[in-house]
Amino acid sequence: MKKYKTICLGLLASVMLSTSCNQNNSEKKSAKRTVTTANVEISNLLARTGKVGSEYEANKMFNTFQSLKDEISKNPKDYAARLKLADLYIVEARATGNYGYYYPAAVKMIDAVLAENPEKEEDKFRALTSKAVIQLSYHQFEDALETGKEAVV
């Protein structure tokens, strides 16, 4: 019985390691899949694998993504649309568990908006609070506090 348990544990560990490596390789390949629209780099949504939400919800996310991409294409200075896209990446990260792909995509979008120094305080506030949310998820508490302070100044 002990030998059987050891073999099962070994097989389980190798399957988990193999799955983890395949997912990381898939994420690395997918992370390179970006589109530049009106000089704004947009990371594509990854195809959902396994049982992640309903098909309806996945289609709704994809349609929202396409709509935001079109809005950004028409007006690259539409910071609200760009920040909605960053928020969509955050939601998709949480829904799929692909944090390593979606959080950097969101941060890249947020940092690009902040670098352009939007005139509307609302856009700057939304960008900074979304960035703080990601920093908190990464347990970067001091950075999140500083970002939060910057948002309320």
Side-chain angles (χ1 to χ4, degrees), residues 8-80:
C8 287
L9 286 174
L11 287 172
L12 179 62
S14 65
V15 167
M16 288 174 62
L17 182 60
S18 171
T19 303
S20 173
C21 290
N22 288 340
Q23 182 179 5
N24 289 338
N25 287 337
S26 171
E27 285 181 17
K28 286 177 186 175
K29 289 177 187 174
S30 299
K32 296 179 183 177
R33 287 191 271 152
T34 59
V35 177
T36 303
T37 302
N39 293 326
V40 176
E41 191 173 312
I42 298 175
S43 297
N44 288 316
L45 290 183
L46 299 176
R48 289 184 174 188
T49 57
K51 181 129 177 84
V52 179
S54 68
E55 186 177 332
Y56 170 80
E57 190 265 339
N59 288 334
K60 185 175 180 179
M61 288 296 278
F62 180 77
N63 291 336
T64 302
F65 171 78
Q66 288 297 103
S67 175
L68 290 169
K69 197 166 97 172
D70 291 345
E71 287 178 40
I72 294 165
S73 176
K74 291 175 190 169
N75 180 9
K77 298 290 183 186
D78 186 346
Y79 297 120

Side-chain angles (χ1 to χ4, degrees), residues 2 21-22 32 38 43 50-51 69 72 85 88 99 101 107 114 123 139 141 146:
K2 186 175 180 180
C21 290
N22 288 340
K32 296 179 183 177
S43 297
K51 181 129 177 84
K69 197 166 97 172
I72 294 165
L85 183 58
L88 183 139
Y99 298 98
Y101 177 79
V107 169
L114 290 171
D123 291 334
H139 295 190
F141 302 118
E146 291 306 311

